[in-house]
Amino acid sequence: MSKNTETPAAGGAVAGDLKLVNVTKRFGDFAAVKDLTLTIPQGSFFALLGASGCGKTTTLRMVSGLEEPTAGRVLLGDHDVTRLRPYKRPVNTVFQNYALFPHLTIAENIAFGLKRRGVKDVKKPVQDMLDLIELSHIGARKPNQLSGGQQQRVALGRALINRPQVLLLDEPLGALDLKLRRQMQIELKRIQTEVGLTFVHVTHDQEEAMTMADTIAVMNLGRIEQLGSPTDLYENPRTTFVANFLGQSNLWPGKASGTVGEHLRVRLEDGTGVLIPSARNNASGDEVIVGVRPEKMSIHASADEVPDGRNMLTGGVVTDTSFVGVSTQYVVKVAVCDELGVFVQNDGARIFRPGSDVVVSWDPSQGFGLDGKQDIDAGAEADLEAGS
Amino acid sequence: MSAPALADEAAEALADGTTVAELRADKRVRRRRATLPYVLLAPGIIWLVVFFIVPMWSIVSTSVETGDMDTGFVLSWRWANFGDVWSQWHQQIIRSLEYSLMCTVFCLILALPLAYFIAFKAGRWKNLLMALVVAPFFTSYLIRTLAWKTILADDGWVVHAMNTLHITPLLSGMGWTYSDNSVLQTPFSVVCGMVYNFLPFTVLPIYTAMEKIDPRLHEAGQDLYASAWATFRKVTFPLALPGIVGGTLLTFIPAVGDYTNAVMLGGPKTKVIGTVIEQQMIGTGGNIPYGAALSVLLMVGTLVITLAYIKRAGTEEIV
């Protein structure tokens, strides 16, 4: 493929990473993006993840040039593009609702960028791109004769054919149904690996970000909350927002009460002592929020069944049981938390009915500690809102 | 109904399990449905016959009559009337077409940026600005045209300003006016009045077409290496084309027959075909067949130009 669609790279030899340096964008009194500094390595698949209104799309638009930063700089390699007009940047966008030109055919839509840059013979690159997005048979149709998935592919092809230094994707799969979205996620990842361009992907869908991106930046209120690989973000969230927004977390406030080997002992509000790995504690002071992912927890009929060395919360009552096939999801009421989530893999273990008295446990290595001075519910509602 | 027909009907009925009675009822409904379109079309067809076909026949037949005011005119199929009027008034016909063409071009030059601004940049002022474009219609056409006589008067500030900026000599140099310090009674003043009067007809359809264009398409254009101007040429203009064609036709067609502006703002040298027709039909000319022949000529000419224009506009050529 990389041989098939070789076209003169826009902007010539300016190669390198995409850098945002202290970028701020204000709309009137409202700061959509606040002092953002970010480096996106060349060739990576980078996701900006956040709820609506977190500033992720504004960040993207400042990279494409459709929005000018109030302060700060945008760099492509060593090239400062902060004040460069959008049509002069070697950057292309796949728009949220595709924004295909309705008066042009699919082939003409794809050829648009090349023609504007004065490429004379566009026939072959356009044909190669149509092949890549598997729409060769309908190149002569108009966009309104295409399905959503096909339009999405045309939007991708129209941007990709220009071989931009950075390809921006603004919620590109948002308008597709779930099945098609999964399919396109894999497709996008495949194409990115093949062409090796830098992809910057904006989404509110954490699953989408985790499936595709090498690196995810979780954004909240115009700032980057945490940046890292999907595994890193999921296993070691550093803030309650990330812990709640990316998947689910059980979080309980507590106080540090000394160390036991490589573990930190935390006393929860009801006096229960639990251990978390010191290395995974992000709290600066004594006040620690203990977090555990629901699928890391086990559920038992009594404390006797819990193997030695595991953290344990006793006196729980199952309030809800949902059997979802691969797992059973319990909501358990314990002293420190009314709605504790426990996901048990469907490996034949017994299923507890609501009302059962239970004990929950987890391996100390699976817990993490967050700074106790933040809102314990941050991100939980944002996730719901974004998911809707 | 004959026996075989009855048998056929019964067989037909049995084939899909319906009774003969049901089948008959069904046929009645179908018959009623077949006549319904004609019933619905009737008012339109009557309207067309009374107000289009009959007047058309009347004017075409009048155009080939002969006679004079005293003895009356008789239908003698004298097609030579067309030759007569062409040789006598072709200058006025061509002038009418020239003026309306100029008017259409100037209207388009003014309407494109105006409609673009209102559709994409005006934000919440959109409706107010559109209301202002239509506002002149609240005053009589004649009064509005008469007002331009004051605006373009020799001692008015417009002409003073034009003198100061040396525009008046420029205009007279181009032959659009006849003296260096006056603009009334010239092609310039006539076209000014026409542009003013017809501008809303150009703006409205173009605005409507542009307003429907998704502004994100402009962003997509800019994202794909098209400057603002290239985006306008390659995206906005083609998408607004139906409105542009509609707007220019709505301007050009009535402008060809307009003579109010030529009479009020022009002079002897700006006589247009509308004035000639008026004189022949109801004025001092007194040759009704000539007036009718001119009308038919003008109508056919406008139709040919319009059809050629629409055909061309439908292709890529015009973009």
Side-chain angles (χ1 to χ4, degrees):
Chain A
M1 143 71 216
S2 56
K3 273 177 204 146
N4 289 344
T5 52
E6 242 162 24
T7 52
V14 202
D17 304 346
L18 168 65
K19 288 194 205 83
L20 288 105
V21 186
N22 303 114
V23 168
T24 296
K25 177 69 191 180
R26 272 186 221 100
F27 296 102
D29 289 339
F30 174 70
V33 175
K34 297 168 194 160
D35 197 26
L36 186 91
T37 297
L38 182 65
T39 300
I40 298 171
Q42 189 179 15
S44 66
F45 198 132
F46 192 94
L48 281 170
L49 176 66
S52 48
C54 73
K56 57 191 193 302
T57 297
T58 309
T59 307
L60 199 76
R61 288 170 64 86
M62 288 191 287
V63 177
S64 68
L66 294 170
E67 218 71 78
E68 202 175 293
T70 315
R73 290 189 305 150
V74 180
L75 299 158
L76 270 173
D78 301 326
H79 192 37
D80 189 330
V81 298
T82 318
R83 311 274 170 229
L84 211 59
R85 308 296 305 152
Y87 56 90
K88 291 191 173 154
R89 298 188 189 201
V91 173
N92 290 112
T93 309
V94 176
F95 289 89
Q96 189 165 11
N97 291 305
Y98 318 137
L100 300 177
F101 302 122
H103 59 297
L104 301 178
T105 65
I106 301 316
E108 287 166 343
N109 262 283
I110 291 172
F112 192 89
L114 290 183
K115 281 190 177 163
R116 296 292 83 70
R117 293 215 319 271
V119 177
K120 287 281 170 292
D121 190 22
V122 297
K123 225 175 178 161
K124 181 161 164 45
V126 167
Q127 190 52 50
D128 290 339
M129 185 48 69
L130 283 169
D131 288 342
L132 179 77
I133 59 173
E134 291 164 359
L135 292 177
S136 317
H137 55 299
I138 52 175
R141 287 197 201 161
K142 294 277 176 77
N144 61 10
Q145 294 168 294
L146 266 57
S147 71
Q150 289 170 327
Q151 291 188 19
Q152 205 284 329
R153 299 219 290 272
V154 175
L156 181 67
R158 185 179 70 170
L160 216 50
I161 196 168
N162 303 296
R163 299 230 129 212
Q165 230 171 300
V166 181
L167 184 79
L168 306 173
L169 302 116
D170 185 5
E171 304 259 9
L173 309 178
L176 305 181
D177 63 56
L178 192 68
K179 207 176 156 197
L180 200 53
R181 209 185 308 166
R182 294 278 170 270
Q183 208 179 316
M184 286 305 299
Q185 284 173 6
I186 298 162
E187 194 80 339
L188 266 178
K189 184 69 193 160
R190 177 182 68 82
I191 290 172
Q192 196 266 340
T193 319
E194 276 185 27
V195 299
L197 300 173
T198 311
F199 276 36
V200 181
H201 179 203
V202 154
T203 181
H204 66 254
D205 183 339
Q206 40 117 353
E207 217 175 309
E208 192 174 298
M210 304 240 284
T211 317
M212 295 196 282
D214 318 320
T215 313
I216 300 175
V218 180
M219 281 191 79
N220 182 30
L221 301 171
R223 287 199 177 83
I224 289 182
E225 195 87 13
Q226 191 178 345
L227 187 145
S229 69
T231 339
D232 188 37
L233 286 181
Y234 189 79
E235 300 295 353
N236 300 307
R238 283 204 302 269
T239 65
T240 52
F241 182 87
V242 176
N244 287 322
F245 190 71
L246 216 66
Q248 284 183 37
S249 293
N250 294 308
L251 301 172
W252 319 288
K255 262 200 160 56
S257 60
T259 51
V260 181
E262 287 181 354
H263 289 93
L264 180 75
R265 176 181 289 280
V266 181
R267 195 157 294 282
L268 303 180
E269 280 172 339
D270 69 335
T272 314
V274 295
L275 297 177
I276 57 168
S278 302
R280 295 178 69 183
N281 176 29
N282 294 296
S284 49
D286 272 357
E287 280 177 47
V288 181
I289 293 173
V290 175
V292 189
R293 298 287 188 184
E295 74 278 10
K296 317 267 191 192
M297 305 189 92
S298 311
I299 193 160
H300 317 271
S302 71
D304 305 341
E305 292 176 15
V306 179
D308 286 343
R310 284 173 77 89
N311 288 320
M312 192 161 63
L313 294 175
T314 52
V317 179
V318 175
T319 57
D320 188 55
T321 307
S322 349
F323 179 72
V324 293
V326 292
S327 67
T328 308
Q329 305 190 346
Y330 296 102
V331 178
V332 181
K333 185 172 163 26
V334 290
V336 290
C337 172
D338 280 351
E339 290 187 342
L340 178 85
V342 182
F343 299 167
V344 181
Q345 207 194 329
N346 187 14
D347 58 357
R350 98 174 240 218
I351 291 171
F352 293 90
R353 302 271 150 230
S356 312
D357 292 325
V358 292
V359 171
V360 292
S361 77
W362 70 96
D363 192 284
S365 65
Q366 298 304 315
F368 53 84
L370 304 172
D371 199 294
K373 288 187 205 69
Q374 45 183 336
D375 177 12
I376 202 160
D377 292 324
E381 278 154 35
D383 186 29
L384 283 178
E385 186 193 317
S388 65
Chain B
M1 199 178 277
S2 69
L6 262 176
D8 279 353
E9 196 176 48
E12 197 186 323
L14 279 174
D16 57 357
T18 47
T19 67
V20 174
E22 272 173 352
L23 198 74
R24 282 182 184 161
D26 188 41
K27 277 186 177 166
R28 269 199 302 278
V29 169
R30 259 187 262 169
R31 211 169 298 136
R32 208 178 303 151
R33 275 189 195 151
T35 54
L36 188 66
Y38 300 102
V39 174
L40 291 175
L41 275 174
I45 290 171
I46 293 168
W47 177 275
L48 211 61
V49 168
V50 172
F51 294 104
F52 183 72
I53 308 280
V54 171
M56 271 301 256
W57 167 249
S58 153
I59 196 127
V60 171
S61 63
T62 309
S63 70
V64 287
E65 285 177 355
T66 42
D68 57 50
M69 276 296 196
D70 302 330
T71 57
F73 299 97
V74 286
L75 183 57
S76 58
W77 298 100
R78 189 177 180 271
W79 293 98
N81 280 352
F82 285 93
D84 292 354
V85 297
W86 175 255
S87 55
Q88 207 171 334
W89 291 295
H90 63 91
Q91 215 185 340
Q92 282 78 6
I93 293 179
I94 290 166
R95 189 180 292 147
S96 279
L97 293 174
E98 270 175 10
Y99 285 2
S100 20
L101 195 69
M102 273 202 278
C103 163
T104 310
V105 170
F106 285 122
C107 276
L108 191 62
I109 291 171
L110 291 172
L112 277 175
L114 183 62
Y116 186 92
F117 177 81
I118 297 176
F120 299 118
K121 309 280 176 196
R124 62 203 176 94
W125 302 104
K126 231 183 209 181
N127 291 332
L128 180 74
L129 287 171
M130 272 330 281
L132 287 178
V133 168
V134 191
F137 287 131
F138 288 103
T139 316
S140 148
Y141 184 45
L142 293 177
I143 292 175
R144 274 184 284 144
T145 312
L146 210 57
W148 272 80
K149 234 176 163 158
T150 317
I151 294 171
L152 296 178
D154 292 353
D155 52 357
W157 66 270
V158 175
V159 174
H160 279 296
M162 285 169 81
N163 283 336
T164 317
L165 296 167
H166 301 286
I167 295 171
T168 26
L170 197 75
L171 287 172
S172 70
M174 290 164 76
W176 288 10
T177 59
Y178 304 131
S179 83
D180 276 2
N181 45 24
S182 164
V183 295
L184 273 178
Q185 305 198 336
T186 64
F188 175 78
S189 57
V190 175
V191 173
C192 272
M194 288 169 82
V195 169
Y196 164 74
N197 278 312
F198 288 109
L199 188 60
F201 295 106
T202 329
V203 175
L204 279 168
I206 297 180
Y207 166 77
T208 311
M210 281 188 177
E211 215 249 335
K212 273 189 259 162
I213 299 173
D214 185 346
R216 277 174 304 193
L217 294 179
H218 294 157
E219 297 192 339
Q222 289 202 37
D223 188 66
L224 292 161
Y225 312 104
S227 60
W229 172 240
T231 306
F232 178 81
R233 264 188 323 124
K234 295 294 172 185
V235 180
T236 318
F237 187 81
L239 285 173
L241 198 56
I244 292 168
V245 171
T248 44
L249 287 179
L250 275 180
T251 307
F252 180 76
I253 296 171
V256 172
D258 179 84
Y259 62 98
T260 318
N261 290 285
V263 168
M264 294 182 120
L265 302 172
K269 289 187 196 164
T270 63
K271 197 174 183 183
V272 292
I273 199 62
T275 316
V276 178
I277 293 173
E278 193 240 355
Q279 283 170 352
Q280 293 303 321
M281 292 293 227
I282 52 177
T284 50
N287 195 325
I288 292 174
Y290 278 3
L294 281 170
S295 302
V296 172
L297 214 55
L298 198 63
M299 194 162 57
V300 171
T302 313
L303 199 67
V304 168
I305 293 171
T306 303
L307 287 178
Y309 174 63
I310 292 175
K311 206 171 170 203
R312 210 173 134 86
T315 64
E316 287 280 300
E317 281 174 72
I318 202 155
V319 184

